[in-house]
Short mmCIF file of all heavy atoms in Angstrom, two decimals:
data_model
loop_
_atom_site.label_atom_id
_atom_site.label_comp_id
_atom_site.label_asym_id
_atom_site.label_seq_id
_atom_site.Cartn_x
_atom_site.Cartn_y
_atom_site.Cartn_z
N SER A 16 3.28 17.46 3.36
CA SER A 16 2.31 18.34 4.05
C SER A 16 1.23 18.82 3.10
O SER A 16 0.07 18.98 3.48
CB SER A 16 3.04 19.53 4.68
OG SER A 16 3.70 20.31 3.69
N TYR A 45 -3.95 5.15 -2.51
CA TYR A 45 -3.56 5.52 -1.15
C TYR A 45 -4.79 5.74 -0.27
O TYR A 45 -5.76 6.38 -0.67
CB TYR A 45 -2.74 6.81 -1.18
CG TYR A 45 -2.46 7.39 0.19
CD1 TYR A 45 -1.61 6.75 1.07
CD2 TYR A 45 -3.06 8.58 0.60
CE1 TYR A 45 -1.35 7.27 2.33
CE2 TYR A 45 -2.82 9.11 1.84
CZ TYR A 45 -1.96 8.45 2.72
OH TYR A 45 -1.72 8.97 3.96
N GLY A 50 -6.27 6.51 12.25
CA GLY A 50 -5.86 7.28 13.42
C GLY A 50 -5.22 8.59 13.03
O GLY A 50 -5.50 9.65 13.60
N ALA A 63 -21.71 6.84 15.69
CA ALA A 63 -22.24 5.97 16.74
C ALA A 63 -23.74 5.78 16.51
O ALA A 63 -24.48 6.75 16.29
CB ALA A 63 -22.00 6.58 18.11
N THR A 86 -25.19 1.62 5.07
CA THR A 86 -24.98 1.83 3.64
C THR A 86 -24.67 3.29 3.33
O THR A 86 -23.74 3.60 2.56
CB THR A 86 -26.23 1.39 2.85
OG1 THR A 86 -26.48 0.00 3.10
CG2 THR A 86 -26.05 1.62 1.36
N ASP A 102 -29.59 4.14 28.11
CA ASP A 102 -29.65 5.25 29.05
C ASP A 102 -28.69 6.35 28.61
O ASP A 102 -27.96 6.22 27.63
CB ASP A 102 -29.32 4.78 30.48
CG ASP A 102 -27.96 4.08 30.56
OD1 ASP A 102 -27.05 4.44 29.80
OD2 ASP A 102 -27.83 3.16 31.39
N ASP A 127 -37.99 10.62 26.54
CA ASP A 127 -36.78 9.81 26.61
C ASP A 127 -35.76 10.44 27.57
O ASP A 127 -35.48 11.64 27.50
CB ASP A 127 -36.16 9.69 25.21
CG ASP A 127 -35.25 8.49 25.08
OD1 ASP A 127 -34.23 8.46 25.78
OD2 ASP A 127 -35.57 7.60 24.27
N LEU A 133 -28.44 14.45 24.91
CA LEU A 133 -28.33 14.67 23.47
C LEU A 133 -28.35 16.16 23.14
O LEU A 133 -27.62 16.61 22.25
CB LEU A 133 -29.46 13.94 22.75
CG LEU A 133 -29.37 12.41 22.74
CD1 LEU A 133 -30.68 11.80 22.28
CD2 LEU A 133 -28.23 11.95 21.83
N VAL A 141 -28.90 12.69 15.69
CA VAL A 141 -30.17 12.53 14.97
C VAL A 141 -30.95 11.41 15.62
O VAL A 141 -30.39 10.35 15.92
CB VAL A 141 -29.94 12.21 13.48
CG1 VAL A 141 -31.28 11.99 12.78
CG2 VAL A 141 -29.17 13.34 12.80
N ALA A 162 -50.09 7.71 9.69
CA ALA A 162 -50.29 6.31 9.30
C ALA A 162 -51.54 5.74 9.96
O ALA A 162 -52.34 5.03 9.33
CB ALA A 162 -49.07 5.48 9.68
N ARG A 209 -64.40 10.35 11.79
CA ARG A 209 -65.22 9.60 10.84
C ARG A 209 -66.47 8.99 11.46
O ARG A 209 -67.25 8.31 10.78
CB ARG A 209 -64.38 8.48 10.23
CG ARG A 209 -63.20 8.96 9.40
CD ARG A 209 -63.68 9.51 8.07
NE ARG A 209 -62.63 9.97 7.20
CZ ARG A 209 -62.42 9.52 5.97
NH1 ARG A 209 -63.19 8.56 5.48
NH2 ARG A 209 -61.46 10.02 5.21
N VAL A 253 -52.39 -13.40 14.52
CA VAL A 253 -53.69 -12.81 14.24
C VAL A 253 -54.35 -13.51 13.05
O VAL A 253 -55.52 -13.91 13.10
CB VAL A 253 -53.54 -11.30 13.94
CG1 VAL A 253 -54.86 -10.72 13.41
CG2 VAL A 253 -53.11 -10.55 15.19
N LEU A 257 -57.75 -15.92 12.96
CA LEU A 257 -58.89 -15.64 12.08
C LEU A 257 -59.29 -16.88 11.30
O LEU A 257 -60.47 -17.24 11.20
CB LEU A 257 -58.54 -14.51 11.11
CG LEU A 257 -58.55 -13.09 11.67
CD1 LEU A 257 -57.98 -12.11 10.64
CD2 LEU A 257 -59.96 -12.66 12.07
N ARG A 263 -63.23 -14.98 7.40
CA ARG A 263 -62.55 -14.82 6.13
C ARG A 263 -62.10 -13.36 5.91
O ARG A 263 -62.79 -12.43 6.32
CB ARG A 263 -63.48 -15.25 4.99
CG ARG A 263 -63.95 -16.70 5.04
CD ARG A 263 -65.09 -16.91 4.05
NE ARG A 263 -66.23 -16.03 4.38
CZ ARG A 263 -67.26 -15.82 3.57
NH1 ARG A 263 -67.29 -16.40 2.38
NH2 ARG A 263 -68.24 -15.02 3.95
N ALA A 300 -31.45 9.54 8.14
CA ALA A 300 -30.84 9.89 9.42
C ALA A 300 -29.35 10.14 9.27
O ALA A 300 -28.80 11.12 9.81
CB ALA A 300 -31.10 8.79 10.45
N LEU A 308 -22.81 17.82 10.44
CA LEU A 308 -21.37 17.73 10.65
C LEU A 308 -20.62 18.71 9.75
O LEU A 308 -19.59 19.28 10.13
CB LEU A 308 -20.90 16.31 10.38
CG LEU A 308 -19.53 15.87 10.88
CD1 LEU A 308 -19.41 16.07 12.38
CD2 LEU A 308 -19.29 14.42 10.52
N LEU A 318 -40.75 14.01 8.80
CA LEU A 318 -41.70 12.92 8.91
C LEU A 318 -42.02 12.40 7.51
O LEU A 318 -42.42 13.17 6.63
CB LEU A 318 -42.97 13.38 9.61
CG LEU A 318 -42.82 13.76 11.09
CD1 LEU A 318 -44.14 14.27 11.64
CD2 LEU A 318 -42.32 12.58 11.90
N ASP A 325 -52.66 -1.06 -1.69
CA ASP A 325 -53.86 -1.90 -1.75
C ASP A 325 -53.50 -3.29 -2.26
O ASP A 325 -53.05 -3.46 -3.39
CB ASP A 325 -54.89 -1.26 -2.69
CG ASP A 325 -56.20 -2.04 -2.75
OD1 ASP A 325 -56.32 -3.05 -2.03
OD2 ASP A 325 -57.07 -1.63 -3.53
N ARG A 326 -53.69 -4.30 -1.40
CA ARG A 326 -53.43 -5.69 -1.79
C ARG A 326 -54.69 -6.54 -1.68
O ARG A 326 -54.62 -7.75 -1.61
CB ARG A 326 -52.30 -6.27 -0.93
CG ARG A 326 -50.98 -5.48 -1.06
CD ARG A 326 -49.84 -6.18 -0.32
NE ARG A 326 -48.59 -5.43 -0.46
CZ ARG A 326 -48.10 -4.61 0.46
NH1 ARG A 326 -48.76 -4.43 1.61
NH2 ARG A 326 -46.97 -3.97 0.27
N PRO A 332 -68.02 -3.91 4.01
CA PRO A 332 -68.57 -4.96 4.88
C PRO A 332 -69.84 -5.55 4.28
O PRO A 332 -70.58 -4.88 3.58
CB PRO A 332 -68.86 -4.20 6.17
CG PRO A 332 -69.05 -2.78 5.77
CD PRO A 332 -68.13 -2.57 4.60
#
Side-chain angles (χ1 to χ4, degrees):
S16 61
Y45 172 69
T86 300
D102 56 32
D127 202 296
L133 290 167
V141 177
R209 296 286 181 123
V253 171
L257 283 171
R263 300 167 300 167
L308 196 57
L318 293 177
D325 183 3
R326 300 187 180 99

